[in-house]
Amino acid sequence: MKGINSLLLPLLIMLFSTSAFAKKGDKVPGYVVLENGDRLEGQVIIGSITDNETKVSFIKEGTNKKKTYKPKDLVSYGYQETEMDDLGKPVVNWVHYDRMKVDYPPKIFASKTVFVEREIDGEITLYCYYVEVRNDPKQPYRYYYYLKNAEGEITKVERDNFSKMSKDMFEEYTALTDRVGQKDFEYRNLDRMVRDYNYWMVNKHDADEYRVALKE
């Protein structure tokens, strides 16, 4: 799921239930990667936003037996979801989660070692992490971004450090850093900014010229 403004999240959840084929409890094609690196194919049973971060229920291909894995058991997992695009056509996407240690659990009594959704791969990898806000029914989730650079260093990005962290991370691409904080270059737009930066790193066009990468 894309990193979005928390004010819009309840609406998105409602729209998701009507516009996507897959919903909580559905079995969809997926995989898990074990601690030893073995990858198993099969079906993943979709959970809630934070359930997906704390566990995954998996049915191995060729069996009917469900097994629930926690982050201590897996390196990563993923599943396939089908959504309707703006034109009403079905689009198949893969959702990937990697194990990560975070500073705050996604829900009460949960571990800080979790699965975090990997939204974008490239020179910079972007992760989006959701936390339940139990005392605020209008905004039931808060989200944070994590960025991983080419050296594997992971940095948490929040609203209050977004401007500094973004300018440091995208320093070489001046057309991007000059726009940080402006309309459409705010915290909620970080996923697109990372995608555009990765595009620049591959193509190395003029650093003062901003180009938008096509979303895959």
Side-chain angles (χ1 to χ4, degrees):
M1 183 175 291
K2 296 169 66 176
I4 57 171
N5 190 308
S6 59
L7 291 173
L8 299 177
L9 188 55
L11 176 61
L12 181 69
I13 294 171
M14 180 178 68
L15 291 174
F16 179 86
S17 66
T18 59
S19 65
F21 294 108
K23 60 184 182 299
K24 182 179 176 180
D26 283 354
K27 299 175 184 177
V28 295
Y31 69 89
V32 297
V33 179
L34 305 179
E35 187 72 39
N36 63 5
D38 287 349
R39 174 172 168 139
L40 306 180
E41 305 290 339
Q43 291 181 309
V44 167
I45 301 175
I46 296 178
S48 69
I49 294 173
T50 50
D51 281 346
N52 286 342
E53 297 177 331
T54 59
K55 62 185 178 181
V56 54
S57 295
F58 181 73
I59 302 173
K60 184 180 177 181
E61 193 174 65
T63 73
N64 293 314
K65 186 176 181 181
K66 180 181 75 174
K67 183 171 183 178
T68 299
Y69 293 97
K70 294 186 176 182
K72 64 182 178 65
D73 306 312
L74 302 177
V75 174
S76 62
Y77 81 92
Y79 63 84
Q80 192 179 87
E81 66 176 12
T82 304
E83 297 180 306
M84 302 298 288
D85 65 14
D86 295 338
L87 299 177
K89 297 180 180 180
V91 178
V92 176
N93 297 310
W94 277 92
V95 181
H96 303 281
Y97 285 84
D98 293 339
R99 183 174 62 193
M100 187 182 295
K101 182 71 177 288
V102 296
D103 58 359
Y104 195 84
K107 59 173 68 180
I108 190 169
F109 303 129
S111 170
K112 293 181 183 179
T113 300
V114 296
F115 297 119
V116 181
E117 184 180 352
R118 173 171 27 100
E119 289 199 345
I120 298 172
D121 286 304
E123 182 74 13
I124 294 178
T125 301
L126 177 112
Y127 293 91
C128 192
Y129 174 60
Y130 292 86
V131 175
E132 290 183 359
V133 183
R134 298 173 64 84
N135 60 352
D136 191 347
K138 292 184 179 179
Q139 300 181 44
Y141 299 99
R142 184 175 295 119
Y143 70 90
Y144 305 95
Y145 287 117
Y146 285 88
L147 299 178
K148 183 169 70 173
N149 64 19
E151 288 71 45
E153 299 171 335
I154 297 175
T155 303
K156 183 180 181 180
V157 182
E158 302 181 69
R159 293 182 184 278
D160 56 0
N161 71 355
F162 157 73
S163 181
K164 182 181 185 307
M165 296 303 305
S166 297
K167 289 180 179 180
D168 288 345
M169 189 71 70
F170 306 137
E171 182 180 10
E172 300 171 274
Y173 190 13
T174 52
L176 175 52
T177 56
D178 288 347
R179 289 170 168 78
V180 170
Q182 298 178 15
K183 183 181 178 182
D184 297 327
F185 292 86
E186 301 171 285
Y187 185 70
R188 65 177 179 270
N189 309 121
L190 187 57
D191 54 346
R192 195 205 71 240
M193 294 163 66
V194 170
R195 189 177 297 111
D196 292 347
Y197 175 80
N198 287 342
Y199 176 79
W200 176 77
M201 286 295 296
V202 171
N203 294 278
K204 284 298 177 80
H205 54 270
D206 185 346
D208 293 324
E209 177 187 354
Y210 196 89
R211 296 184 186 176
V212 177
L214 295 177
K215 185 176 179 180
E216 295 181 358

